[in-house]
Amino acid sequence: MLAWTIYISFLGALALLLLPKNSVASVRILALLTAVAGLAITLTAFMQHSAGEMLTITRVPWVPSLGIEYHLAADGISLTLLLLTGIIAITGILFSWNIEHRTKEFFAFYLVLIGAVYGVFLSYDLFLLFVFYEIVIIPKYFLIAIWGSTRREYGAMKLALYSFIGSAMVLIGLIAAYVVAGAKTMALEDLTQFPFPLHFQMWAFPLVFVGFAILAGLWPFHTWAPTGHVAAPTAASMLLAGVVMKLGAYGCLRVAMVLFPLGLGPWGFHVLGFGSWRDVFAVLAIIGIVYGATVALVQKDFKFVIGYSSVSHMGFILLGLMTLNQIGLSGAVIQMFSHGILAGLLFAVVGRMVYDRTHTRDLASLGPMNLNKVVPFAAATFVVAGMASMGLPGFSGFVAELMILIGVWRAFPILTVCVGIGIVVGIAYIWRAMQKAFFAEANIKSTPAQPPLLPVSLPERLGAIILIGASIIIGLYPQILLNVIRPALNSPLFDNLRKGSWQ
């Protein structure tokens, strides 16, 4: 049944293109119904799937001579991210309800992107996963280049180039694994059973890990992220931060770490205090956390604040992966879900509720507009999203960051201090942005009268409520996700990782 999340999205995109050009309302409703159907399927599967083991959905030969199959499967990690995709898909459409320029093409690209993301999270054949991973690049390029704003063509091209470079690194690593193993299949479970030599894993692991981590915003390969987020329209920003960056983190865990677990082990010598690739990537993740938060703290552009905050929060995910203990890895997966929800909400407030009404993202210009009184719903939503992003108890961010911190304390106790610095700076940039954009004192005498702003619409309110509700549910009862994530991490697929470095 989960396979239909892919088919429905692609069929929905095709159906949109067949609608008359001026049927804007029909286009919006059909796109929304398609996204709702995808979430309904995902939610049903999530509720029925309690054990967390990998369940094959469909497996048919595709290119038999190379052993490539159309092999779809899902475990608890996949289901968590499929659920996130379904939620972001619906809310992204609600926050794009005002799109009137080439509406049906916009939503067609949008649904193709959603379908490809579903495909990545469901693919169990590595070649199939790579195909869906590549398909994602095409619609996201056009969504930014056609419907974007600031330096949209530059942002779209930069994102595409970084994505293609990362994809090339992943493809080289996968082909090398296929050839070295002498495999007759590209199924992940079959390749993980092959004992790849240590020297091979030592170069294949960083190659594939970095290839995926580029899309996850790993410092110093993160520069596409803030540029792409600022250039993208609101829905594309939500998709980029909400689910596309998670594709990179998912690939790091599902492919690089599972396929080449010995690549995480010690080198046998030390260079500048680094004794393994695990140490290197943990430090890069820490730098990303602190650097992203610090740069966000000094930004004047409201959307750049959120863009760099995404770099910082993605650092938490990559650091959680490097802990190699169950609590840290579980926290990393929950953080994928939490950041997807909260980053989507923050981009929705900044891009749709504020920028589309005020036509400025300059924090100094927004202050005198007294937005907390003019658009109180936007101000209240940003306060809630900001508090959740800070890691306030009761929201999903708190659970995720707490689990990662415990995992980091067990794996890299010294680095925990640096993570703490990143959290404190994170609180500061959210507080500063909140104060400057919504609660700065309006200088009425020196500021010309502002035209009235449109009130926040019903679709926007509904989208915000869905995202806040999802964060609160996981924040209050994280066991909903842990019940499927932990069994997945204890499954045979992760046996080699557990034997190699698991703590």
Side-chain angles (χ1 to χ4, degrees):
M1 185 173 64
L2 273 172
W4 278 96
T5 55
I6 305 171
Y7 310 147
I8 285 175
S9 299
F10 288 149
L11 289 172
L14 183 62
L16 288 180
L17 295 177
L18 298 177
L19 289 175
K21 187 177 181 180
N22 56 354
S23 302
V24 176
S26 301
V27 168
R28 291 169 179 160
I29 292 171
L30 181 56
L32 182 61
L33 290 176
T34 304
V36 169
L39 178 61
I41 293 172
T42 302
L43 199 56
T44 303
F46 188 91
M47 295 173 69
Q48 293 175 346
H49 186 84
S50 58
E53 74 275 14
M54 185 67 72
L55 295 177
T56 295
I57 299 165
T58 182
R59 185 172 189 175
V60 294
W62 184 16
V63 187
S65 59
L66 296 176
I68 297 173
E69 299 175 313
Y70 185 77
H71 187 179
L72 302 179
D75 64 359
I77 299 171
S78 307
L79 282 169
T80 299
L81 297 173
L82 290 169
L83 191 60
L84 168 68
T85 305
I87 294 171
I88 294 296
I90 289 177
T91 52
I93 291 172
L94 292 173
F95 284 112
S96 303
W97 211 253
N98 63 323
I99 295 288
E100 294 183 349
H101 172 59
R102 301 176 65 176
T103 310
K104 71 175 186 178
E105 289 92 341
F106 175 86
F107 285 114
F109 278 125
Y110 185 93
L111 291 181
V112 170
L113 177 53
I114 291 296
V117 170
Y118 277 131
V120 172
F121 290 141
L122 284 172
S123 294
Y124 207 41
D125 182 286
L126 292 179
F127 183 78
L128 181 64
L129 184 148
F130 183 79
V131 169
F132 280 121
Y133 197 77
E134 289 294 287
I135 292 175
V136 168
I137 300 173
I138 301 169
K140 75 183 178 186
Y141 171 85
F142 286 108
L143 283 171
I144 296 173
I146 298 176
W147 290 274
S149 55
T150 309
R151 302 176 73 192
R152 60 189 182 187
E153 293 180 356
Y154 172 74
M157 184 57 69
K158 188 173 183 179
L159 192 155
L161 284 175
Y162 271 72
S163 300
F164 279 125
I165 291 170
S167 299
M169 294 170 67
V170 170
L171 182 61
I172 292 170
L174 296 184
I175 291 175
Y178 179 79
V179 173
V180 170
K184 297 180 180 179
T185 172
M186 287 289 279
L188 180 60
E189 62 179 343
D190 295 334
L191 285 176
T192 54
Q193 294 173 7
F194 183 80
F196 290 107
L198 176 61
H199 70 275
F200 172 74
Q201 296 199 37
M202 278 298 174
W203 69 261
F205 168 72
L207 181 74
V208 177
F209 187 90
V210 171
F212 280 117
I214 287 175
L215 200 55
L218 174 69
W219 187 92
F221 310 107
H222 68 284
T223 59
W224 67 267
T227 310
H229 289 320
V230 171
T234 299
S237 294
M238 294 176 68
L239 286 179
L240 272 179
V243 292
V244 173
M245 293 183 84
K246 307 305 173 294
L247 298 180
Y250 176 78
C252 290
L253 174 62
R254 175 71 84 202
V255 182
M257 294 172 65
V258 166
L259 206 55
F260 310 117
L262 297 181
L264 286 152
W267 294 330
F269 56 90
H270 283 75
V271 178
L272 301 175
F274 295 104
S276 66
W277 286 116
R278 181 189 174 200
D279 294 342
V280 172
F281 293 131
V283 170
L284 292 181
I286 288 281
I287 294 174
I289 291 171
V290 178
Y291 170 83
T294 305
V295 177
L297 183 62
V298 298
Q299 290 300 307
K300 297 178 180 177
D301 187 311
F302 201 4
K303 210 169 183 182
F304 266 118
V305 175
I306 310 304
Y308 279 103
S309 79
S310 280
V311 174
S312 181
H313 281 98
M314 288 303 296
F316 279 95
I317 295 172
L318 296 172
L319 182 61
L321 296 182
M322 289 300 99
T323 62
L324 293 183
N325 52 54
Q326 192 173 77
I327 191 166
L329 287 168
S330 301
V333 178
I334 293 182
Q335 177 72 345
M336 291 185 205
F337 182 90
S338 175
H339 176 254
I341 295 292
L342 297 175
L345 183 56
L346 289 169
F347 276 117
V349 174
V350 176
R352 176 69 188 105
M353 296 185 188
V354 174
Y355 178 70
D356 283 357
R357 287 172 170 78
T358 62
H359 305 293
T360 181
R361 296 191 304 261
D362 180 52
L363 288 170
S365 302
L366 290 172
M369 294 184 184
N370 225 4
L371 293 180
N372 66 318
K373 295 179 180 175
V374 178
V375 277
F377 187 85
T381 304
F382 189 84
V383 169
V384 174
M387 294 294 179
S389 184
M390 289 178 191
L392 199 73
F395 294 97
S396 55
F398 172 76
V399 179
E401 291 187 7
L402 180 64
M403 293 180 72
I404 292 172
L405 276 174
I406 295 173
V408 174
W409 182 268
R410 292 178 179 175
F412 310 101
I414 297 175
L415 295 183
T416 311
V417 177
C418 302
V419 180
I421 294 172
I423 291 175
V424 172
V425 180
I427 293 172
Y429 73 70
I430 285 290
W431 202 265
R432 171 181 172 269
M434 192 187 307
Q435 194 275 333
K436 281 186 169 292
F438 295 102
F439 299 101
E441 291 185 9
N443 188 350
I444 300 174
K445 292 182 180 179
S446 61
T447 304
Q450 300 291 329
L453 302 181
L454 291 173
V456 176
S457 66
L458 181 60
E460 295 167 49
R461 290 173 186 266
L462 183 58
I465 291 170
I466 291 172
L467 293 173
I468 293 172
S471 181
I472 291 175
I473 289 171
I474 301 305
L476 295 178
Y477 192 61
Q479 204 62 32
I480 294 173
L481 295 184
L482 289 173
N483 282 342
V484 295
I485 293 172
R486 281 180 173 164
L489 291 172
N490 289 325
S491 69
L493 189 65
F494 289 88
D495 276 350
N496 289 333
L497 191 59
R498 280 195 295 273
K499 292 174 186 173
S501 306
W502 201 286
Q503 298 176 358

